[in-house]
Amino acid sequence: MPADVKETAHGNSHKRTPGSDDVGTVGTKMEAEVNDEPGDADVVESGPPSTGPQAEAEDKSGDADVADGDSAPEPPSKRRDTERRISVSIRALAVSTLVVALIAATGVMTWLYLGATARFDDQARQGGDITHAEHIAQDYAVNAAIMDYKDLGPWKQNLVKGTTPELSEKLSKAAVAMEQILLPLQWSSTAQPLAAKVRTHQNGVYVVDAFVSVMTKTVQAADNLQSTATYSVTIDSNNAWKISDVGGIASAVGQK
């Protein structure tokens, strides 16, 4: 056995095998390079947080950041919701104002319509009353102008027809006086209505002028005489449309 091999077997440890020192040196360098990696240093520095004054300062700085976050601008979605609510509120206010205006206009128009309708009704009623008064006066004048000396009874009845008791008494006395004239003259006459017009009306009392065309025949005239008699007839609508006064009856027989 060679001499160098025997020395190794008997434990001469300080005698190195060729190339062994080189391998150890390379391994030591590799471990140093691995331990010197930047990541390891970062891991050591990111250890547990410090609790000293510096940590308190950092906590206060964090609180300040949170406080500043409270006053930060609202997110766009929240601003859009607010703008939408404002837009809807303005639109609702405009619609409400328009509705109120329409209701007010409708009320005014209704009030005007009712007022105009009331005035129209009053005018129509007043026109009807005037027409009714003129019709009463015209009929009375025509009947009062028709006479026949052979039978004056119907004439006397027509003379007091539709009159008040006070006027009826006055006309009955006037008929007796006129009879003294009609009989000797053998008076007979016919009449046709011409026109009737309300002269005045106040508090339901109407004064109507009635015009009648009278055709008269007497013993003194061989031919019929045509004349126009005018009657002034006062009618009280408050007293069942009774005739309260008559003028112009004497003109039907040629007397003033």
Side-chain angles (χ1 to χ4, degrees), residues 64-97:
D65 293 338
V66 174
D68 292 338
D70 293 340
S71 61
E74 295 180 350
S77 60
K78 189 172 183 180
R79 286 198 300 271
R80 284 195 296 271
D81 293 341
T82 303
E83 292 175 357
R84 188 179 297 109
R85 287 196 297 270
I86 293 174
S87 176
V88 171
S89 299
I90 293 174
R91 186 179 303 171
L93 179 61
V95 172
S96 300
T97 303

Side-chain angles (χ1 to χ4, degrees), residues 83-202:
E83 292 175 357
R84 188 179 297 109
R85 287 196 297 270
I86 293 174
S87 176
V88 171
S89 299
I90 293 174
R91 186 179 303 171
L93 179 61
V95 172
S96 300
T97 303
L98 179 60
V99 170
V100 171
L102 289 176
I103 293 174
T106 302
V108 172
M109 293 299 296
T110 302
W111 179 77
L112 292 175
Y113 172 77
L114 293 176
T117 302
R119 288 193 298 271
F120 178 78
D121 292 342
D122 290 341
Q123 293 175 356
R125 182 170 55 253
Q126 184 176 355
D129 291 345
I130 289 175
T131 301
H132 186 55
E134 291 174 347
H135 181 72
I136 293 174
Q138 189 74 84
D139 287 348
Y140 178 85
V142 170
N143 292 327
I146 298 175
M147 309 174 193
D148 185 359
Y149 75 97
K150 296 177 182 179
D151 185 8
L152 294 175
W155 171 70
K156 290 179 180 180
Q157 291 177 0
N158 290 330
L159 199 61
V160 298
K161 184 178 180 180
T163 62
T164 61
E166 297 79 9
L167 181 59
S168 178
E169 184 178 356
K170 290 172 58 177
L171 292 176
S172 296
K173 293 179 179 179
V176 173
M178 291 177 63
E179 187 177 7
Q180 305 302 318
I181 300 172
L182 298 175
L183 289 175
L185 292 175
Q186 298 181 2
W187 188 288
S188 61
S189 61
T190 58
Q192 294 293 329
L194 294 177
K197 184 68 176 178
V198 171
R199 188 198 315 162
T200 62
H201 66 91
Q202 187 176 8

